[in-house]
Amino acid sequence: MSASSSSVSSPAALPGDPPGGRRAVAVWSIGVAVYFVAVIFRTSLGVAGLDAADRFHVGASALSTFSILQLLVYAGMQIPVGLLVDRLGTKKVLAIGAVLFTAGQLGFAFSPSYGTALASRALLGCGDAMTFISVLRLGTRWFPVRRGPLVAQLAGLVGMAGNLVSTLVLARLLHGVGWTAAFAGSALAGAVVLVLLVLFLKDHPEGHEPEPLPHQGAAYVRRQIAAAWREPGTRLGLWVHFTTQFPAMVFLLLWGLPFLVEAQGLSRADAGELLTLVVVSNMAVGLVYGQIVARHHAARLPLALGTVAATSVMWAVTLAYPGGRAPVWLLVVLCLVLGACGPASMIGFDFARPANPAERQGTASGITNMGGFVASMTTLFAVGVLLDATGDDYRIAFSVVFVLQALGVSQILRLRRKAARRERERLVASRVETVHVPA
């Protein structure tokens, strides 16, 4: 077996491993509930696009600015949020995030103009950016390291459930009670989870407090970022996240519906069902990938690269189908495969996590999480430009997917051996430390 795939078996226990158990599940569930609500708010615009265009009297390009701005704020906040989590702890950062995304959702409900609505979405994106990194950190503080991959995948699955709530519940609420009541009413969920986390969430179990670290302003920030970036596992995690996440993100967030309706001739209802299929597939695949990676760490890279290959093949077959319109069965398969992109992107954190000590987990996760969102923003913009330049030729526009995948795979292959070697060294060192711990 090559060095790229053999890497390291799943560790049984490491020094200072948290105990897990029911209390860990209860505390972690509060953090995940905050992330769940954040995803509902994040994806709420996806079901309200036409209503937003009518309410604010804007066209398609101005409407797409909502999504691009939200991703821009989210991606730009990842490293600062990671530093904040390492500096302040999970509870404080999650509380700040909950206040911001709830305020953003409320602001969106009562926005009288396009400008104020845009500012509200930016505020929402800022709060949303603080949730996922915090939940990942919470998992590493409360669960044994061997549970890390499964815990991370379960967090991603809950996020997809939030996407489903937007699609199935918020959409009906919007058309039933109207814009202001729907968005203001949904904001109540943010207030509820904020109260829960303030009352019951703890950063870590007793006896597992992190060692106090000296924090020296800008010097500390530079040191944290530089130390995390030096680890090949952090960089590999970023490129895995970059290469795997963006095809499904772009499809769900903006361009999937126009592609299915305008290029493939489906009705809006049928296209909506296919988008829902992507979300359901994501949830199912997430459970499978989490179990596999938790038991067999050597499966991380094959799963990630296999997902990239399957996504690339399905896009190529769909776009190259004779006549330009693919049969429904092929579009169904495409959506099922796109559902694997989210779980595959979570594998990026499974490379960054063992590469960094506990006090640097937030920073490393922030760097990793930037990957997919930078790729998504790039693709969202590039597809739009190519559609305008080619008269809505989706075959040419979606070809940018292959360019970004090729870039990402080249970086993954370049870093895989360095990351595997470094991970083995850290695991050996941790086991030696366990043996020499004094009685």
Side-chain angles (χ1 to χ4, degrees), residues 163-217:
N163 199 329
L164 272 183
V165 169
S166 286
T167 303
L168 301 178
V169 178
L170 189 59
R172 294 181 181 179
L173 191 64
L174 183 67
H175 297 137
V177 301
W179 178 281
T180 301
F183 280 99
S186 66
L188 291 174
V192 171
V193 294
L194 177 60
V195 170
L196 288 175
L197 80 88
V198 168
L199 292 179
F200 302 112
L201 191 138
K202 292 191 65 176
D203 283 341
H204 46 73
E206 290 80 3
H208 292 269
E209 295 82 0
E211 294 183 8
L213 296 173
H215 300 291
Q216 301 172 355

Side-chain angles (χ1 to χ4, degrees), residues 47-305:
V47 300
L50 295 177
D51 301 84
D54 291 338
R55 181 178 177 86
F56 303 118
H57 310 291
V58 296
S61 59
L63 191 62
S64 68
T65 304
F66 281 122
S67 299
I68 294 174
L69 175 64
Q70 206 168 316
L71 281 184
L72 181 64
V73 171
Y74 190 102
M77 285 292 294
Q78 290 310 294
I79 291 179
V81 167
L83 290 164
L84 280 175
V85 170
D86 288 336
R87 177 69 178 90
L88 301 178
T90 300
K91 183 172 184 174
K92 291 180 180 178
V93 176
L94 268 181
I96 295 170
V99 169
L100 291 177
F101 67 62
T102 302
Q105 188 78 339
L106 269 176
F108 198 56
F110 294 102
S111 290
S113 66
Y114 174 72
T116 55
L118 205 60
S120 296
R121 296 306 288 187
L123 187 64
L124 192 157
C126 185
D128 178 23
M130 297 185 174
T131 58
F132 188 63
I133 300 299
S134 298
V135 170
L136 288 180
R137 169 65 174 255
L138 197 66
T140 62
R141 287 298 188 186
W142 280 91
F143 292 96
V145 66
R146 68 181 184 277
R147 299 295 185 193
L150 181 58
V151 169
Q153 288 286 358
L154 287 174
L157 187 150
V158 171
M160 282 294 104
N163 199 329
L164 272 183
V165 169
S166 286
T167 303
L168 301 178
V169 178
L170 189 59
R172 294 181 181 179
L173 191 64
L174 183 67
H175 297 137
V177 301
W179 178 281
T180 301
F183 280 99
S186 66
L188 291 174
V192 171
V193 294
L194 177 60
V195 170
L196 288 175
L197 80 88
V198 168
L199 292 179
F200 302 112
L201 191 138
K202 292 191 65 176
D203 283 341
H204 46 73
E206 290 80 3
H208 292 269
E209 295 82 0
E211 294 183 8
L213 296 173
H215 300 291
Q216 301 172 355
Y220 164 75
V221 171
R222 289 194 299 270
R223 193 163 55 246
Q224 283 285 92
I225 295 174
W229 184 255
R230 277 196 300 269
E231 292 292 344
T234 304
R235 284 174 279 143
L236 178 59
L238 179 146
W239 284 108
V240 167
H241 200 268
F242 177 101
T243 314
T244 53
Q245 188 204 45
F246 79 92
M249 175 71 74
V250 169
F251 196 79
L252 286 171
L253 201 59
L254 187 59
W255 293 120
L257 189 68
F259 169 73
L260 294 172
V261 173
E262 296 177 1
Q264 299 302 315
L266 298 183
S267 68
R268 286 180 176 268
D270 290 340
E273 290 179 0
L274 286 178
L275 294 180
T276 303
L277 181 62
V278 177
V279 177
V280 173
S281 173
N282 187 304
M283 297 172 70
V285 175
L287 287 174
V288 176
Y289 277 21
Q291 293 283 358
I292 292 174
V293 174
R295 292 188 172 97
H296 310 286
H297 272 203
R300 290 172 297 176
L301 205 56
L303 281 177
L305 292 177

